[in-house]
Amino acid sequence: MSKYTICIDPGHWPGSVNCAPDKSYWEYEFTWDLYTRLRPLLEKQGFTVVGTRTQQENPSQTARATVSNKAGADLFLSIHSNAVSGGWQPPRGFTAFTSSGPETAERNQAATAILGAVKDAGVILFGTGKPYYRGYTVLTATTAPAVLLECGFHTNREDVALLKDHAYRDKLAAAIARGIMDYFGMENQQPESGNPDQADSWAKEAWAKAAATGIFDGTRPSDPLTRQEAAVVLDRLGLLPEKGE
Ligand SMILES: [Zn+2]
């Protein structure tokens, strides 16, 4: 298991900053949601995760950096989503900021690992696809290698449609977690989560039986069961009497 501590900063707070021009989706909604998806993925891999705020709090950038410094974090990650001015605009994609070069600095290796994993997951990257440098206080006042992620543009129609999609947010969270593990040189502690057709270890035996006997078809072990799928399973078990004699 990991001995590393990660400080995650879930961007802004209700009422602040970036929003879609049609006011349909706010940055604070996205950042908090992604935080709640990313945090358990990292904890499953054994990371100690520290958050910079609760849902309704709005600490200063310096206070957010202090949380990370006090925790002795090995990595600081600030989650944001982007916007440009002037309504719907073409710029789109995922990007990462660090305080400065060189490319070999730990912060830039971490950013590059996350960008690589996100790209591998099929997410569109903004611009060069490399980390950009910006002197945000959360990036300069943190002692841990610090990366700020801008996960897409609220002012791009395609991006905001993706950001609103919970399956896309799951994909983003999984890819960011993958990138963090790559940065720390870690193997996935739960390889089954990387393969959508493999059951979790606690369910493996039952899942294999269910697939072998045809009760389930052996795909999508982590998907919720719909009412019609439940009916088919009951029928395959012979639990539904024939009707109408
Ligand atoms: Zn932001």
Side-chain angles (χ1 to χ4, degrees):
M1 296 300 262
S2 171
K3 55 188 183 299
Y4 300 112
T5 298
I6 299 184
C7 182
I8 305 180
D9 174 38
H12 303 269
W13 73 304
S16 72
V17 297
N18 296 334
C19 187
D22 61 5
K23 303 281 183 237
S24 62
Y25 198 54
W26 288 79
E27 177 174 9
Y28 71 83
E29 296 178 273
F30 170 79
T31 57
W32 187 261
D33 179 282
L34 195 75
Y35 167 66
T36 63
R37 289 171 201 268
L38 177 59
R39 181 172 183 143
L41 294 182
L42 293 171
E43 286 173 339
K44 260 192 209 166
Q45 298 296 335
F47 288 103
T48 302
V49 180
V50 177
T52 57
R53 66 177 182 94
T54 60
Q55 194 167 7
Q56 298 300 323
E57 282 175 338
N58 185 29
S60 69
Q61 288 201 45
T62 305
R64 293 170 195 247
T66 301
V67 171
S68 177
N69 296 347
K70 278 194 177 152
D74 300 288
L75 180 68
F76 175 88
L77 196 66
S78 191
I79 301 170
H80 291 253
S81 44
N82 223 335
V84 288
S85 57
W88 297 111
Q89 296 289 335
R92 65 174 301 194
F94 182 105
T95 191
F97 290 90
T98 68
S99 60
S100 60
E103 275 185 36
T104 50
E106 289 292 328
R107 56 186 171 274
N108 291 315
Q109 291 188 27
T112 301
I114 293 168
L115 286 166
V118 165
K119 188 183 178 197
D120 285 349
V123 170
I124 290 174
L125 298 185
F126 171 82
T128 60
K130 291 185 170 184
Y132 287 83
Y133 303 142
R134 196 76 59 84
Y136 297 125
T137 302
V138 282
L139 298 179
T140 57
T142 33
T143 50
V147 179
L148 185 147
L149 301 177
E150 290 283 5
C151 298
F153 286 77
H154 286 262
T155 42
N156 177 276
R157 288 183 195 276
E158 289 87 2
D159 266 12
V160 83
L162 289 171
L163 294 175
K164 281 178 184 174
D165 176 14
H166 67 88
Y168 184 80
R169 297 197 301 274
D170 275 338
K171 180 166 99 168
L172 266 184
I176 292 166
R178 173 74 260 168
I180 290 169
M181 290 171 63
D182 289 346
Y183 167 65
F184 285 109
M186 287 168 57
E187 293 299 318
N188 197 334
Q189 305 286 337
Q190 296 194 318
E192 59 269 22
S193 68
N195 180 346
D197 284 343
Q198 246 176 57
D200 290 346
S201 48
W202 55 269
K204 228 166 213 161
E205 205 181 319
W207 183 251
K209 281 188 209 166
T213 54
I215 301 300
F216 282 106
D217 66 6
T219 68
R220 305 179 292 114
S222 298
D223 272 17
L225 190 66
T226 63
R227 289 150 64 95
Q228 57 187 351
E229 284 171 331
V232 169
V233 165
L234 292 171
D235 197 36
R236 285 177 186 161
L237 291 167
L239 294 172
L240 300 182
E242 294 299 327
K243 210 191 143 204
E245 244 96 297

